[in-house]
Amino acid sequence: MSYGSQLVLRDVTVRVRRSSRVAIMGPNGVGKTTLLRVLGSLVSPDEGDVTRTPPSLEVGHLAQEPDARAGETLRSYLSRRTGVGAAAARLDHLERALAADARLVDAYAEALDRFLYLGGDDLDERAAEACARVGLGAHPDATMDDLSGGEAARAALAAIMLTRSDILLLDEPTNDLDLAGLDRLEDFVSTSRAGIAVVSHDRAFLERCVNEVVEIDEGTRRAAHYAGGYARYADARATALRQQRDAHDRFVADRKRLLEQASRQRRWAAAGARRARSGESGERDKHVRASAVAGAEATAGKARAARVKLARRDGRATGAARRVLLRLRARPRGGPGAVG
């Protein structure tokens, strides 16, 4: 997956089941949001595909920002974010078209089933309950532009709670939530029957809620999978980092040894060649002196070989991707379908 010449994701395979609680991890800008958008079929990968099993699987995607549109009411915002708005629009379109073309009856029936599955028939009642649960007292016809940042965050949380999907893709859902909102989000994620893939930097939320981690490597843009939740992932990453540091320390020590060896051999070679050629050793036999010169040149060759070996090691060290343990911020806290 690339944007122009910029590689974003390479050979990434992710499977989200209905029982999954998958955290998508990696440094900022590594492609986590792009991966969620690919899983949600909002963008198409350059190669490969996204498979839904069964094909009728409902996948809901809730973006990082509330993404309210200019002049959009709270009612319309919740309808759009839950997918009900689009389902209702298609149902209305097919209802009008059905009057002129009876062959659309099956398509209309499918559209009606989807509208009902998403909860379109009782959305207003459920929205009122969800808004009350998250502490959002705004009128349904209030515009999103008039809501404060905290109210907009609670509206986004209400949209998550209202969404009826088999798979939910959540991008930074903890942003701007207060402690009560975080508790409600955790409760929803823990009890929902939907499979959930989430991007978040909130360590406490991840420790409580996920059972699998997919980490995108900044250097290779490939994904590594860690089963067993966030804590096991953090332990595995800490172990990997410790091993990399140990390897680096060994490299530094070995490099120092080779540098000293090369320097020492260069000094020996230069001194030996100088004595042999100048006759400083007192040796008059030219054959013996020639042998001494050859020995000095052999020592110089060893010094050059040591420098070549050192250069190769430096090249491997420079070319290796630097892997750094992902830093996650911890907030103070109070207290069978698949897509892939």
Side-chain angles (χ1 to χ4, degrees), residues 29-83:
V30 80
K32 303 185 295 293
T33 291
T34 298
L35 179 55
L36 285 188
R37 290 176 59 80
V38 170
L39 291 173
S41 299
L42 300 176
V43 295
S44 299
D46 299 331
E47 298 179 4
D49 52 28
V50 177
T51 303
R52 298 186 180 187
T53 307
S56 60
L57 195 77
E58 286 291 341
V59 178
H61 175 271
L62 288 101
Q64 179 172 346
E65 301 299 331
D67 72 351
R69 298 171 180 174
E72 187 174 41
T73 66
L74 174 60
R75 186 197 311 274
S76 298
Y77 169 78
L78 295 175
S79 177
R80 177 173 59 83
R81 292 271 285 189
T82 56

Side-chain angles (χ1 to χ4, degrees), residues 85-146:
R90 175 164 176 75
L91 187 64
D92 290 343
H93 169 74
L94 288 172
E95 185 176 9
R96 292 190 297 270
L98 188 61
D101 189 350
R103 291 173 298 178
L104 295 175
V105 63
D106 289 340
Y108 176 82
E110 291 178 3
L112 177 60
D113 286 343
R114 184 167 188 270
F115 174 78
L116 295 174
Y117 181 83
L118 293 176
D121 56 328
D122 62 350
L123 178 63
D124 286 345
E125 292 81 1
R126 292 188 300 111
E129 295 175 2
C131 288
R133 285 182 62 191
V134 300
L136 180 59
H139 191 277
D141 293 326
T143 63
M144 293 294 293
D145 297 334
D146 294 332

Side-chain angles (χ1 to χ4, degrees), residues 220-232:
T220 65
R221 299 303 174 114
R222 289 184 167 89
H225 295 252
Y226 299 83
Y230 175 80
R232 290 185 62 180

Side-chain angles (χ1 to χ4, degrees), residues 58-62 78-84 117-119 123 126 130 156-170 188 192 194:
E58 286 291 341
V59 178
H61 175 271
L62 288 101
L78 295 175
S79 177
R80 177 173 59 83
R81 292 271 285 189
T82 56
V84 169
Y117 181 83
L118 293 176
L123 178 63
R126 292 188 300 111
L157 177 58
I160 293 174
M161 296 168 60
L162 287 167
T163 300
R164 289 182 175 175
S165 297
D166 300 306
I167 303 293
L168 270 176
L169 310 173
L170 308 179
F188 171 81
S192 174

Side-chain angles (χ1 to χ4, degrees), residues 17 46 51 53 61 84 135 139 142 157-158 176 200 203 210 220 234 240 244 261-262 288 302 305 328 331 333:
R17 302 173 178 83
D46 299 331
T51 303
T53 307
H61 175 271
V84 169
H139 191 277
L157 177 58
D176 299 319
S200 177
R203 185 174 63 193
V210 305
T220 65
Q244 289 154 13
Q261 176 184 329
V288 174
K302 293 179 180 179
L328 305 174
R331 292 175 184 258
R333 306 295 293 269

